[in-house]
Amino acid sequence: MNAFAAVEDRTTVADDPSRVAKRSRPRAHRVWQTVGPPVIFVVMLIVVAALTPAFLGGGGLTIIAASAAPILLVALGQALVLHIGSIDLSNAAIALLGAILLALTLSSIGPVAPLVILAIVTVCGALNGLLVAFAQVPSFALTLGTLGIYSAAALVTSGATTVYVASGGEAVAALYATGIVGIPLTFWLGVVVAVLLWAMLRFTRLGLGMTAVGRNESGAIFSAVRTRWIKVIAFSLSGFTAGLAAITIIAQAGSASPTGLGSDLLLPAIAAAIVGGTSISGGATNPINVVFGALTVALVPIATAALGIDAQAQSLVYGVVIIAVVALTMTRTRGSIVK
Amino acid sequence: MTEQTPVIALKDIRISFGAVAAVKGVSLEIAPGQVVGLIGENGAGKSTLLKIITGIHQPDGGTIEVNGAPVRFRGPRDAIAAGVGVVHQEQSLFTNLSVAENVEMNTKPGKGGVGRAGFYRWGRLNRDAAETLAKIGSKLDPRTKVGDLSFVDRQMVEIARAIRVQTRDGGQPLVILDEPTSVLERTETAILEREIGKLREVGSVIFVSHRLDEVMRICDRVLVMRDGELIADRPVQDVTEAELFRLMVGREARAESRERHAPAADERPVLEVRGLSRRGEYDDVSFRVFAGRLTAVVGTSGSGREALSRALFGAEPFDRGQILLDGAAVSDWSIPKAVKAGVGYVPAERRVEGMVGGLTAAENLTLTHPGASSAGGVLRPGRRNKTTQEWFDALQVRPNDISLELERFSGGNQQKVVLAKWLTSQNLRLLVLDHPLRGLDPGASQIVNAQIRRACDNGTAVVLLADTLEEALEMGDDIIVMRDGEAAAHYDLVAENPSTLDLLERML
Amino acid sequence: MTDTTTRPPAADTTTIRTREHQIARRTRFAGWGEPVALVAAMVVLVVVFSLLNPRFATFGNLQNILDQATVPLIVGVGATLVILLGSIDLSVEGVMGASGMAWILLSANSRGGLDLGPWAWVVALAVGAALGWVSGLIFTRLKVPSFIVTLGIWYVGLGVATILFGTSAIPTLTDDSLSTLSSQTALGLPNGFLLAVGVVVLGVLLLRYTRFGRLTLAIGDNEAIARSAGMPVARIKTAVFIVAGVLSGLAGIIATMKLGAGSATVGTGTLFLVIPAVVIGGTSLGGGRGGILRTVLGVFLLTVLSNGLILSGVSPSFQSAVSGAILVAAIVAAAWSQRNRLRIAK
Amino acid sequence: TSTAGATGGAAQPVAKEDLVLVASVINTTNPYMASNIAGAEALSKKLDIPLEIVDSNGSSQTEISKIQAILAKGKKVVLFVNTVASSDAPTIVNAVKQAGGFVTIWWNKPDNLDPAQVGDNFVAFQKIPGVESGKCNADALGEALGGTGNVVMLPGVQDSTTSQTRVAGFKAQMAEKYPGITILEERPSNWDPQLGYKNSQDLIAKYGDTIDGVWSADDAMQTGSMKAFKDAGLLDTTKFASDGLYPDTIASMESGEGNNAIVGETFHRGYMASAVGLYTAYLAATGEITPSELPQEKRDSLFALSCVTPDTLGDFSGYDAEDGPEKFVDSLIENGPWDTDPMKLIGGGPEVLPGS
Ligand SMILES: Nc1ncnc2c1ncn2[C@@H]1O[C@H](COP(=O)(O)OP(=O)(O)OP(=O)(O)O)[C@@H](O)[C@H]1O
Ligand SMILES: Nc1ncnc2c1ncn2[C@@H]1O[C@H](COP(=O)(O)OP(=O)(O)OP(=O)(O)O)[C@@H](O)[C@H]1O
Ligand SMILES: [Mg+2]
Ligand SMILES: [Mg+2]
């Protein structure tokens, strides 16, 4: 105890102005980190509304939300994987595989089909996670490989053709057809998942562990965090949300095919996660903001059409806007390293 | 002192980061060929001052003169061009490049081994580097990849790079060494000390260290910083270690001695290691640690003691032998299992392994032992903050802000939190400490040591890999000397009283 | 002078040093495992495919494989440099489209218009350089992660190609000697492949013998140190993106030339061939470790694989699965021996 | 509340000023799609109704949401869609129905999606029969090879019905009329000239000069394939047949490239498809036709395609003149959507695959 006594005469909490100074900058950052993505989306929406007033009145928000729904669900899983410092290039392919399996099974096994499919895609995600965690391979390369495998699985199970939901798809279709305040349930499903994931990251040990892995995996290992299982869980959740995306695809299209709806979700979903403020180097994710990221990413092509921008220039505009939006919403700390 | 033009003269240098005045009006002069020690507590502003001299920070006020001419450094390039070379506190080599490239890193195109158009002439580059290395007595192969080198050798490469710097007129450089020894073992320090001593033939030196004995041995003059100010400037002959300690910390050093006690005859050891081996690391090591006793393991950097300590924590596997905790042999040992069994570990690589810098102090403190601060996997921030605040108060962590990211604290304060992380455990049976005082100033060291003692007194068995032999002798109940992976000697300090010389002899 | 009484005994440190050198030597050979394993994998593939179809191991098929490796090799050199920085360049397909389109519209083509001859190459490469420069600038100045910048530039490049293409008919090369230039052989090797070899050699020299190359490695290893050492970090990074842009542009020209017709999507499939090739080669996505020759190995592994799968009659539906499975197997096998409970793989 | 609230616009005639023509294409750089756009532009000029182009960029989601965005702007939409995937059709049709617009779908839709059952807003589904196209090519190739030889096939995207019907027609005709011809292998090449080139290279490596003929599901892939055979020095000894008669295909045929390598083509034009599709929808929008009163074959329609051989090539060159689209539109307005040369209505769908 006298060790304490020995140092009592030292100036306690000495240079405390430091606290104020050190924190003021990050605080401004943090505020923008939280409000940036919604602000960007709303501003863009206002611009579009001002230029084509009829668009919003005609249910523009519904369209944006409907097209954002599958992007959002895939992006949420991606955000979690990015949160632990990895990346999942296969989750969009898993979503498509899920959609095809769902279309194939809905008529035969009926209402349990979605549950069965969710289980299967979660296992697909878990497989990624197990390999990343236990074979210790970089996720970028690994999921590039499993992307090929899952895509082929989608092609083969569908018989390389469009699979239509023969019957029993009414309940799933209702998710798209039914809305709350004009926004389809598929989107609200994404919002609910976002809120749950947000709560998970903020209020649970699992979430804290994920953040720890994302910020400093070595430190997490030495703190007895079960880093490997955490990776498996993150990838499994990525597969799971891809499965939910599959349900929204079926809800919207009533069918699935290897090149149809949902076959190009990978890059938009990554963009959505990053536009939503997710750091590509890990440890910083706000699932709620990913909702706005997905909305923004869905809005851009829709807005180019609504504004009547020349079709030839649309992909150029898309590229420029995505860069600009990320440049605006990104959190930068002075002197930090961007790769 | 001499009448020569000082190699560097600072006048009233000041710098603030936001509201923190890190350096508050420092003036000093360094004569050619002088080796000057710079000491001060963690956060006193030493590194910041040196970063100004090396062009990394631009001062808010004050002037710098090099060889009598006023200079303004806009960046590290300018400082290098003016003849200021530096070995930073943090390791700053490119591990994927060769020794020669690292030594010649600052060579401008058109000079030495780098052609005008930016082409490398490897032969010339390697020769130049070998020459520079030879000046400090190193025979490293310039073609070796730095990643394959040991710590001492890397440090030699850093020094070689620093002295490779020349003034415009080809004059002697000012070499700045910011804690070059803190990551080194005792014997390695000996190598380095010898070479630093020789540096006065190459140029002038500013040498930062928290080891006062070292400063006393190497330097001609000692500067003491405190709270951003230079509060003392003494020739080494005129001061004692105790006086330096008082100057730095503002109070007397207090020699604290532990009451050592032998275990009871029938007592069961908390930790028993039987014939533990790992190929290429350590071989057939056996020892026992009893509750409330501290075993210090000493050895050189190749002795295998780090790998051994990691094996105890389940961080590295072992090939043969047994680890018994409270009499039961462990199997399929891993970190999560070790933690569950009441083992704690403070790694040497604090920033990388010891903590998750991006999480707050409170989160770090409760990451491993959530205890009452989480229920059924759900966090309870209120409880967590209360626990953390108690530890902050007990350990005098500064700043006293539990919701600050841990990476924003100074090294000493980080180490207090890292240690507290283990001390919060309800059943800490064994604490393995790998260089717990590395980089800490003497004041912080005392607080940390006090905590270690307290843990011992509460019945925890401690295995300590000390920074210095003195520390091992002061803290330990037992000392195990490791050499080339084998336990070469064992001293029970209750009964014996070996000198540092005895220990060194067994180590080598 | 110092008080010598407190000096420690002059320690004899030779034993420690010898031991350290031993350790150093042991680790020096650790780096060889991966390329050797890759070459072994390649040999196995070649043997298996030759057994499955004797036509696989013919000179004609070798020429075919070399021809197919041309574009990924050229792009791979740039991609390796970018990945050595620790960054990534996703824009290759867009840049290929823009440069290829610019090139064909300025060469003798069915739409008429300008025929700039060799200057068409210069302009097209300049388009690639410009797109790379913009990527580099946004990346280094606005500090947007390269992943997103180059994703955006991918679309921008496609947009440029689309706008250049306009709405008229497909431009096709009217000069046969130009359209077959890449595939014609000299000394038995396709011209395009010889060009790719030249690019690879230049790339290797650049990385090995120039300050630009060494600084690229240094930045990839530790950017913070590079910055505090006063290295021109932003300039080097931008330059690497420009080089990558130019090489993508060159690949776009070659691909367009091979096809004999302009297409905005001339780069389709290149990205997801080149990045795996770099990764399989063992260049670390974290930066600083790896090299161009490794990428060459990776490119050949994947090219041989895709060619061999067709020659051995694997159903097209399963092709991506087989490639994917082999990619997974290759990276797992490469990482297996290095597994360690403390190893970090992101 | 429900997003599917409205029950769909009744077929009230819409004033011309309230209309907007919309043409949705899969991308803008494929010559067929470019031709789609040209036809829509010509019709828009002729009818003096504004036109918007939707570029789906190969993505179903982009296609659907861009169309929805234009629907949301309130003007009554007269829509032609070259669908990215057949499964997109129901979603698009429903959206148009809710917005009270009028749509014709081209090329791809699920067989069970019947315009008559959806209502007047889904004016028609139109296509050129793929089976016929495949048969045309089979005949041309079969004759050119004299009934014996080896053929490789380059289908388009595997799950595209357009490709599937052409493949089925080609195979059936070969089996029936040219038993001496062996189909060595099929390599789907995704409508992509690069892939056509690469797959052909590998097929050449695999079969060498035993390949006598190459069939491609469209001219884009054939362009790539021919280039590969040319680079391998085999162009002169190989025969090609494909669908689409792209301008550069015409040029090759006219110049007799590769010893008259191209032996068979089919003729139809993107501008004709878009003009016919848009005009049909326009007629419904203005009340000049009432879809529900039309016979089934005018709701689910197959249009004539012309088989082209080097000999008949001359008959088609006029359609590719600068003013081709304008002339076609003039004739279209004069003769109506079902009776315009060279693309007259030949019957009703859904198309039946041979053997099923
Ligand atoms: N960082 C970690 N996070 C979670 N679990 C871990 C971690 N490290 C180890 N484990 C657990 O400890 C067990 C043993 O770990 P590991 O497989 O690394 O042991 P090992 O036998 O040393 O390795 P190897 O099989 O490569 O020789 C594993 O089952 C694993 O679940
Ligand atoms: N870039 C910076 N931004 C804000 N504050 C800083 C910065 N660099 C240093 N400081 C603050 O300046 C003070 C001096 O730090 P400095 O690193 O110079 O201490 P030091 O004497 O080198 O300590 P140590 O012995 O731990 O190395 C500390 O309070 C530190 O937190
Ligand atoms: Mg310091
Ligand atoms: Mg094991």
Side-chain angles (χ1 to χ4, degrees):
Chain A
M1 282 299 105
N2 57 6
F4 289 153
V7 287
E8 225 115 82
D9 53 344
R10 285 161 45 126
T11 35
T12 42
V13 200
D15 20 59
D16 247 12
S18 70
R19 268 179 58 193
V20 187
K22 278 184 191 166
R23 301 209 64 184
S24 62
R25 258 184 70 86
R27 225 162 237 166
H29 267 269
R30 255 173 232 173
V31 170
W32 180 240
Q33 206 173 345
T34 323
V35 302
V39 165
I40 294 273
F41 171 70
V42 170
V43 167
M44 284 175 57
L45 198 62
I46 289 173
V47 170
V48 173
L51 293 175
T52 51
F55 170 67
L56 278 192
L61 262 181
T62 307
I63 298 163
I64 296 166
S67 112
I71 299 178
L72 170 59
L73 282 161
V74 175
L76 285 170
Q78 188 66 268
L80 276 188
V81 174
L82 290 174
H83 190 70
I84 60 161
S86 301
I87 194 164
D88 186 353
L89 299 180
S90 73
N91 64 351
I94 293 178
L96 195 63
L97 175 62
I100 286 168
L101 293 176
L102 190 57
L104 285 169
T105 52
L106 258 177
S107 53
S108 53
I109 58 174
V112 293
L115 298 179
V116 172
I117 301 309
L118 281 176
I120 292 175
V121 293
T122 307
V123 169
C124 289
L127 230 55
N128 283 334
L130 286 167
L131 280 165
V132 166
F134 289 92
Q136 299 181 339
V137 295
S139 55
F140 189 99
L142 179 92
T143 54
L144 207 54
T146 53
L147 162 68
I149 298 174
Y150 295 138
S151 311
L155 194 64
V156 172
T157 51
S158 68
T161 188
T162 307
V163 184
Y164 293 93
V165 178
S167 63
E170 298 78 16
V172 173
L175 282 177
Y176 179 69
T178 320
I180 299 175
V181 296
I183 307 287
L185 286 182
T186 48
F187 180 77
W188 291 120
L189 174 68
V191 172
V192 169
V193 173
V195 171
L196 289 176
L197 291 180
W198 174 81
M200 187 269 282
L201 283 181
R202 257 198 99 117
F203 298 117
T204 70
R205 281 188 69 192
L206 176 64
L208 183 61
M210 285 185 172
T211 310
V213 171
R215 296 272 164 95
N216 176 3
E217 190 173 337
S218 290
I221 292 175
F222 278 89
S223 301
V225 174
R226 299 217 157 233
T227 56
R228 295 173 179 188
W229 292 113
I230 279 179
K231 286 186 184 185
V232 175
I233 290 171
F235 277 92
S236 304
L237 283 171
S238 174
F240 177 77
T241 63
L244 293 176
I247 294 176
T248 69
I249 291 168
I250 295 297
Q252 184 180 352
S255 67
S257 78
T259 56
L261 200 66
S263 62
D264 54 347
L265 286 171
L266 176 61
L267 294 175
I270 294 178
I274 295 174
V275 169
T278 305
S279 157
I280 202 155
S281 50
T285 301
N286 182 347
I288 308 270
N289 273 350
V290 175
V291 174
F292 294 98
L295 284 170
T296 306
V297 167
L299 169 66
V300 178
I302 295 174
T304 56
L307 296 179
I309 291 174
D310 185 27
Q312 312 265 328
Q314 287 185 2
S315 78
L316 199 146
V317 170
Y318 185 74
V320 171
V321 171
I322 291 296
I323 296 177
V325 168
V326 174
L328 283 173
T329 51
M330 250 191 64
T331 34
R332 298 178 187 81
T333 27
R334 205 176 45 152
S336 73
I337 285 169
V338 180
K339 289 226 163 171
Chain B
M1 299 232 91
T2 56
E3 294 307 306
Q4 289 167 284
T5 336
V7 273
I8 195 159
L10 306 184
K11 280 206 192 78
D12 200 24
I13 290 291
R14 276 171 287 114
I15 191 169
S16 308
F17 300 106
V20 207
V23 176
K24 310 171 187 167
V26 169
S27 305
L28 60 88
E29 288 182 0
I30 292 169
Q34 220 174 29
V35 177
V36 179
L38 178 62
I39 61 173
E41 284 184 279
N42 296 127
K46 305 178 295 292
S47 296
T48 307
L49 180 67
L50 299 182
K51 282 179 180 165
I52 291 172
I53 304 178
T54 53
I56 292 170
H57 292 321
Q58 279 68 51
D60 299 336
T63 57
I64 306 176
E65 281 178 22
V66 173
N67 291 327
V71 290
R72 277 198 68 135
F73 297 150
R74 278 157 306 162
R77 290 262 110 191
D78 291 352
I80 290 165
V84 180
V86 62
V87 175
H88 285 291
Q89 182 168 1
E90 305 86 23
Q91 198 256 334
S92 64
L93 296 174
F94 299 106
T95 52
N96 60 339
L97 302 183
S98 74
V99 168
E101 282 175 273
N102 274 287
V103 171
E104 300 291 311
M105 197 162 81
N106 297 318
T107 313
K108 284 207 192 105
K111 287 195 177 146
V114 186
R116 197 166 289 284
F119 283 102
Y120 272 39
R121 294 187 291 258
W122 283 104
R124 172 79 190 275
L125 204 72
N126 289 337
R127 246 175 296 128
D128 286 357
E131 222 169 83
T132 311
L133 283 164
K135 275 191 201 161
I136 53 168
S138 168
K139 292 191 181 64
L140 277 177
D141 181 349
R143 288 166 304 183
T144 322
K145 232 194 206 179
V146 166
D148 298 337
L149 296 181
S150 66
F151 256 128
V152 209
D153 284 336
R154 288 188 198 196
Q155 214 61 325
M156 297 306 263
V157 175
E158 294 240 27
I159 295 172
R161 182 181 63 193
I163 65 164
R164 182 77 178 100
V165 160
Q166 288 179 346
T167 52
R168 273 189 200 89
D169 48 18
Q172 293 202 321
L174 168 65
V175 180
I176 293 176
L177 306 169
D178 195 353
E179 296 193 38
T181 54
S182 64
V183 292
L184 300 182
E185 297 299 333
R186 181 69 165 80
T187 43
E188 298 168 333
T189 319
I191 302 172
L192 210 62
E193 276 180 15
R194 217 170 39 195
E195 308 307 337
I196 294 171
K198 284 195 219 149
L199 278 184
R200 51 171 66 77
E201 288 143 35
V202 184
S204 317
V205 179
I206 301 180
F207 174 72
V208 179
S209 174
H210 286 302
R211 300 184 189 162
L212 301 181
D213 55 333
E214 205 173 80
V215 172
M216 298 286 291
R217 276 195 301 270
I218 299 174
C219 302
D220 308 327
R221 205 175 125 201
V222 186
L223 305 174
V224 184
M225 277 188 81
R226 203 172 147 190
D227 285 339
E229 281 170 284
L230 195 61
I231 54 160
D233 179 353
R234 309 274 167 86
V236 277
Q237 302 92 315
D238 299 358
V239 283
T240 60
E241 268 185 55
E243 200 179 343
L244 287 179
F245 185 94
R246 193 179 48 72
L247 282 167
M248 275 170 66
V249 181
R251 61 178 163 81
E252 294 298 333
R254 191 170 304 187
E256 316 216 15
S257 55
R258 284 191 60 215
E259 210 180 292
R260 297 192 170 100
H261 57 87
D266 56 347
E267 198 179 327
R268 195 173 67 186
V270 172
L271 169 73
E272 181 167 4
V273 173
R274 278 194 202 149
L276 209 64
S277 305
R278 175 156 196 208
R279 263 199 59 190
E281 297 283 0
Y282 47 86
D283 188 34
D284 197 20
V285 177
S286 304
F287 64 93
R288 299 195 292 179
V289 189
F290 291 87
R293 280 173 63 98
L294 187 151
T295 298
V297 184
V298 301
T300 63
S301 70
S303 65
R305 59 179 183 149
E306 279 91 358
L308 178 69
S309 73
R310 286 174 168 246
L312 298 180
F313 186 56
E316 282 179 13
F318 50 90
D319 303 330
R320 273 182 296 114
Q322 274 185 316
I323 296 173
L324 295 94
L325 274 182
D326 289 318
V330 304
S331 69
D332 202 8
W333 203 219
S334 69
I335 294 177
K337 278 191 178 172
V339 169
K340 211 170 207 175
V343 183
Y345 177 65
V346 174
E349 289 271 339
R350 184 187 314 133
R351 280 171 183 280
V352 181
E353 297 177 345
M355 60 191 227
V356 181
L359 295 183
T360 66
E363 285 169 334
N364 265 287
L365 194 76
T366 51
L367 189 59
T368 310
H369 300 288
S373 72
S374 115
V378 178
L379 302 173
R380 299 167 71 177
R383 291 287 190 91
R384 171 166 79 197
N385 293 349
K386 192 164 155 283
T387 313
T388 311
Q389 193 58 56
E390 283 166 16
W391 280 101
F392 262 53
D393 294 341
L395 298 177
Q396 320 227 342
V397 180
R398 295 182 305 163
N400 190 356
D401 180 353
I402 59 169
S403 60
L404 202 61
E405 283 90 355
L406 193 53
E407 65 197 1
R408 294 174 177 274
F409 288 83
S410 74
N413 289 303
Q414 285 171 353
Q415 192 70 320
K416 292 176 199 169
V417 175
V418 172
L419 196 63
K421 179 172 92 175
W422 297 109
L423 300 179
T424 54
S425 163
Q426 301 302 309
N427 78 356
L428 188 65
R429 302 292 297 135
L430 170 68
L431 187 56
V432 182
L433 304 164
D434 189 356
H435 298 84
L437 304 185
R438 180 171 284 179
L440 299 200
D441 69 50
S445 297
Q446 279 196 355
I447 297 186
V448 168
N449 271 343
Q451 287 304 313
I452 298 171
R453 288 196 182 96
R454 205 171 68 114
C456 264
D457 296 344
N458 290 344
T460 301
V462 179
V463 174
L464 170 73
L465 275 56
D467 277 295
T468 62
L469 297 177
E470 291 78 6
E471 189 187 329
L473 286 170
E474 183 199 318
M475 296 286 292
D477 297 293
D478 290 285
I479 287 192
I480 292 167
V481 182
M482 287 192 62
R483 184 176 65 202
D484 283 340
E486 283 170 36
H490 181 237
Y491 298 94
D492 184 346
L493 297 186
V494 180
E496 300 161 88
N497 191 8
S499 68
T500 51
L501 260 174
D502 296 332
L503 296 178
L504 264 177
E505 217 167 85
R506 299 302 193 118
M507 281 161 63
L508 297 169
Chain C
M1 286 311 292
T2 47
D3 178 4
T4 42
T5 51
T6 51
R7 274 188 189 279
D12 176 15
T13 51
T14 33
T15 46
I16 316 172
R17 305 308 284 280
T18 340
R19 205 186 127 71
E20 279 169 359
H21 285 305
Q22 273 167 3
I23 298 172
R25 216 165 301 135
R26 221 180 303 148
T27 49
R28 211 169 302 160
F29 293 103
W32 285 100
E34 251 178 283
V36 168
L38 268 181
V39 173
M42 183 90 116
V43 170
V44 170
L45 278 186
V46 168
V47 169
V48 170
F49 287 141
S50 307
L51 291 176
L52 287 174
N53 186 343
R55 272 184 177 274
F56 176 82
T58 56
F59 187 64
N61 194 38
L62 176 68
Q63 282 182 330
N64 177 27
I65 288 173
L66 296 184
D67 189 52
Q68 289 181 354
T70 302
V71 164
L73 277 178
I74 295 173
V75 175
V77 171
T80 308
L81 289 175
V82 172
I83 291 176
L84 281 174
L85 275 183
S87 308
I88 196 146
D89 183 3
L90 302 180
S91 70
V92 292
E93 292 181 12
V95 176
M96 281 177 73
S99 289
M101 194 61 75
W103 177 77
I104 196 166
L105 291 177
L106 295 174
S107 302
N109 72 88
S110 58
R111 281 196 193 173
L114 279 177
D115 177 6
L116 297 184
W119 287 103
W121 291 72
V122 175
V123 175
L125 294 179
V127 168
L131 287 171
W133 180 65
V134 171
S135 293
L137 226 53
I138 298 175
F139 169 47
T140 55
R141 303 295 162 194
L142 297 184
K143 301 212 187 323
V144 180
S146 59
F147 190 98
I148 275 291
V149 180
T150 55
L151 180 65
I153 295 293
W154 180 356
Y155 288 102
V156 170
L158 275 183
V160 169
T162 308
I163 290 169
L164 287 177
F165 181 84
T167 51
S168 350
I170 297 186
T172 51
L173 287 175
T174 48
D175 182 357
D176 259 9
S177 63
L178 190 56
S179 71
T180 53
L181 186 64
S182 163
S183 311
Q184 256 156 20
T185 53
L187 308 168
L189 300 175
N191 285 331
F193 177 72
L194 292 175
L195 177 70
V197 169
V199 168
V200 166
V201 169
L202 276 182
V204 168
L205 293 180
L206 192 74
L207 208 50
R208 175 87 191 123
Y209 286 103
T210 69
R211 207 169 106 86
F212 168 78
R214 304 314 288 179
L215 291 196
T216 300
L217 285 170
I219 293 168
D221 184 55
N222 195 326
E223 189 175 332
I225 298 177
R227 259 194 234 167
S228 70
M231 292 178 174
V233 172
R235 280 219 308 274
I236 297 280
K237 282 167 133 185
T238 312
V240 168
F241 275 88
I242 293 176
V243 170
V246 169
L247 291 179
S248 294
L250 181 61
I253 295 176
I254 300 297
T256 306
M257 176 185 281
K258 283 168 73 166
L259 198 60
S263 160
T265 53
V266 76
T268 305
T270 310
L271 180 70
F272 280 151
L273 175 62
V274 169
I275 304 271
V278 175
V279 170
I280 288 179
T283 296
S284 145
L285 286 164
R289 263 140 248 262
I292 288 168
L293 289 177
R294 288 163 161 269
T295 300
V296 171
L297 269 177
V299 165
F300 276 111
L301 197 78
L302 292 180
T303 314
V304 164
L305 185 63
S306 114
N307 169 273
L309 287 179
I310 290 187
L311 262 69
S312 47
V314 171
S315 152
S317 304
F318 288 101
Q319 230 186 72
S320 76
V322 176
S323 306
I326 290 184
L327 174 57
V328 169
I331 53 175
V332 169
W336 198 253
S337 62
Q338 296 163 40
R339 260 174 343 125
N340 166 329
R341 58 181 74 174
L342 302 182
R343 202 171 95 106
I344 308 293
K346 292 283 188 186
Chain D
T1 59
S2 165
T3 48
T7 44
Q12 288 295 326
V14 185
K16 213 167 135 180
E17 308 78 69
D18 294 334
L19 289 177
V20 59
L21 301 184
V22 180
S24 173
V25 293
I26 300 173
N27 57 58
T28 63
T29 56
N30 173 291
Y32 183 81
M33 307 296 159
S35 183
N36 274 160
I37 296 174
E41 280 169 348
L43 188 72
S44 148
K45 219 192 275 144
K46 183 77 186 173
L47 297 176
D48 194 24
I49 298 176
L51 169 73
E52 295 204 40
I53 303 293
V54 169
D55 174 6
S56 313
N57 232 324
S59 151
S60 298
Q61 185 68 62
T62 308
E63 169 191 55
I64 291 167
S65 37
K66 280 182 174 178
I67 290 174
Q68 287 177 327
I70 290 175
L71 291 172
K73 288 202 291 182
K75 275 204 159 187
K76 285 296 173 236
V77 164
V78 171
L79 177 65
F80 153 87
V81 190
N82 186 346
T83 43
V84 173
S86 32
S87 49
D88 306 343
T91 315
I92 295 171
V93 164
N94 279 332
V96 173
K97 183 175 171 180
Q98 272 167 43
F102 296 87
V103 61
T104 22
I105 302 278
W106 257 83
W107 290 114
N108 293 310
K109 78 157 176 61
D111 283 348
N112 61 1
L113 180 71
D114 181 3
Q117 278 176 15
V118 176
D120 282 357
N121 301 87
F122 184 7
V123 181
F125 172 72
Q126 302 170 333
K127 73 185 283 191
I128 286 167
V131 175
E132 278 313 308
S133 165
K135 285 183 175 174
C136 270
N137 291 159
D139 283 334
L141 215 46
E143 293 304 324
L145 299 182
T148 55
N150 297 313
V151 171
V152 294
M153 296 174 66
L154 302 177
V157 171
Q158 273 180 293
D159 59 343
S160 143
T161 49
T162 308
S163 175
Q164 285 166 358
T165 50
R166 290 179 190 169
V167 168
F170 183 83
K171 281 187 175 168
Q173 190 77 344
M174 275 293 176
E176 193 179 326
K177 279 181 70 180
Y178 307 100
I181 289 182
T182 314
I183 293 173
L184 292 173
E185 187 158 342
E186 278 179 66
R187 280 282 143 187
S189 302
N190 298 358
W191 312 118
D192 177 7
Q194 273 80 231
L195 212 49
Y197 180 85
K198 190 203 159 278
N199 283 335
S200 298
Q201 278 189 321
D202 287 333
L203 290 171
I204 293 169
K206 183 170 179 181
Y207 298 107
D209 53 11
T210 59
I211 302 173
D212 303 303
V214 179
W215 175 80
S216 316
D218 84 343
D219 273 8
M221 294 182 290
Q222 178 172 267
T223 315
S225 178
M226 283 177 67
K227 187 64 177 17
F229 277 83
K230 185 176 181 179
D231 290 348
L234 295 172
L235 190 61
D236 289 352
T237 56
T238 313
K239 299 300 174 199
F240 292 80
S242 172
D243 177 290
L245 197 68
Y246 284 4
D248 46 315
T249 305
I250 297 180
S252 300
M253 287 174 85
E254 279 172 346
S255 67
E257 190 181 5
N259 190 20
N260 293 316
I262 304 177
V263 295
E265 277 287 336
T266 60
F267 176 81
H268 55 93
R269 280 289 172 258
Y271 70 75
M272 298 176 180
S274 58
V276 168
L278 278 174
Y279 191 57
T280 318
Y282 166 82
L283 292 178
T286 52
E288 287 167 62
I289 58 170
T290 307
S292 54
E293 292 165 5
L294 295 172
Q296 198 269 341
E297 61 170 24
K298 289 188 174 175
R299 303 291 301 276
D300 193 346
S301 322
L302 298 174
F303 285 89
L305 108 164
S306 317
C307 295
V308 183
T309 58
D311 301 334
T312 59
L313 186 61
D315 304 350
F316 301 92
S317 51
Y319 294 109
D320 288 324
E322 191 78 42
D323 59 353
E326 280 80 20
K327 277 192 178 155
F328 181 79
V329 165
D330 289 344
S331 156
L332 175 68
I333 289 175
E334 200 182 311
N335 301 311
W338 300 289
D339 206 19
T340 309
D341 264 335
M343 209 183 74
K344 291 187 176 170
L345 183 70
I346 51 165
E351 200 175 359
V352 185
L353 291 189
S356 65

